[in-house]
Amino acid sequence: MHPAELIELIIVGGILLVILLVSLVLKGKWRKVIQGLAILFLVSFGIFYFVRPYWIDMQIEKKVGYIQMHLEEQYPGETWEYRIVPHREDGYKHLNPYYIGVIFDTEPLVEYKYFARNKSDITQRGWVTPDLHNLKHLEGLGE
C-alpha cells in the first residue's frame, strides 16, 4: 500500500470515528440520523476509491489527445509513440500518471515528458535519456 493511500485511509477512519462518537452522545432520532450519515460517508468513500482509477484513465486518454494535437502542430511529418505510467500496477504509485512520455522515432533514446492542463495549455516538463546528446525536440521548460 502506498503511503498516500494509507494517509487517506487514516483520515477517512478518523472522520468516521468522530461521526460515530458524536452519534453515541446523541439520543433517539438524531443518533440514527448521524449513524446514517456515517454509513453514507463510508459508502461514498468506497465508491470514490473504486471509481478513481477509471477516472484517471479517462483523464489520461483525454490528455493524450491534447498532446497528439500539439505534437502534430509542432512537429509535422514526424512520428512518435506514447508511454504512460501504469498507475494501477505496484511500483508505479510514486509517479504522476498525468505526465505523458513521448518518444520520437527520430530520437529513440529520449523520452520527453509532457503535461496537458487543457487543449491550449500543454508544456514539456522534462526528458529522460541515458546519455545527453543533442535534444532535437526540446521545448521551453516550465513556460
Side-chain angles (χ1 to χ4, degrees):
M1 180 175 289
H2 191 266
E5 290 176 339
L6 185 61
I7 292 169
E8 288 173 358
L9 290 175
I10 290 171
I11 290 171
V12 167
I15 292 171
L16 193 60
L17 184 64
V18 167
I19 292 173
L20 290 175
L21 288 175
V22 167
S23 77
L24 292 177
V25 173
L26 299 174
K27 300 225 185 288
K29 177 177 97 173
W30 289 106
R31 177 179 287 181
K32 296 290 183 193
V33 169
I34 298 296
Q35 288 174 346
L37 182 66
I39 291 171
L40 179 67
F41 179 75
L42 189 60
V43 169
S44 298
F45 178 72
I47 290 171
F48 169 77
Y49 200 73
F50 177 74
V51 169
R52 184 170 51 181
Y54 300 104
W55 174 260
I56 292 172
D57 287 342
M58 287 178 15
Q59 295 300 312
I60 289 171
E61 191 175 308
K62 184 169 62 171
K63 290 174 188 293
V64 166
Y66 295 157
I67 293 170
Q68 175 75 22
M69 289 187 299
H70 172 76
L71 293 176
E72 286 172 355
E73 183 180 302
Q74 292 283 6
Y75 308 106
E78 291 203 43
T79 56
W80 51 81
E81 66 180 54
Y82 298 103
R83 185 167 296 160
I84 59 172
V85 173
H87 64 95
R88 294 181 189 211
E89 296 178 17
D90 288 338
Y92 294 96
K93 297 267 186 193
H94 67 287
L95 298 174
N96 187 340
Y98 296 112
Y99 283 92
I100 311 298
V102 176
I103 302 170
F104 292 90
D105 287 343
T106 57
E107 214 173 359
L109 296 176
V110 182
E111 179 180 343
Y112 293 95
K113 299 289 187 177
Y114 283 87
F115 181 77
R117 287 192 204 294
N118 54 44
K119 202 180 297 187
S120 60
D121 187 9
I122 299 165
T123 55
Q124 188 182 81
R125 295 290 177 102
W127 67 91
V128 178
T129 181
D131 59 344
L132 289 175
H133 60 288
N134 289 338
L135 301 171
K136 299 175 189 172
H137 301 91
L138 189 63
E139 297 176 14
L141 295 178
E143 294 177 358

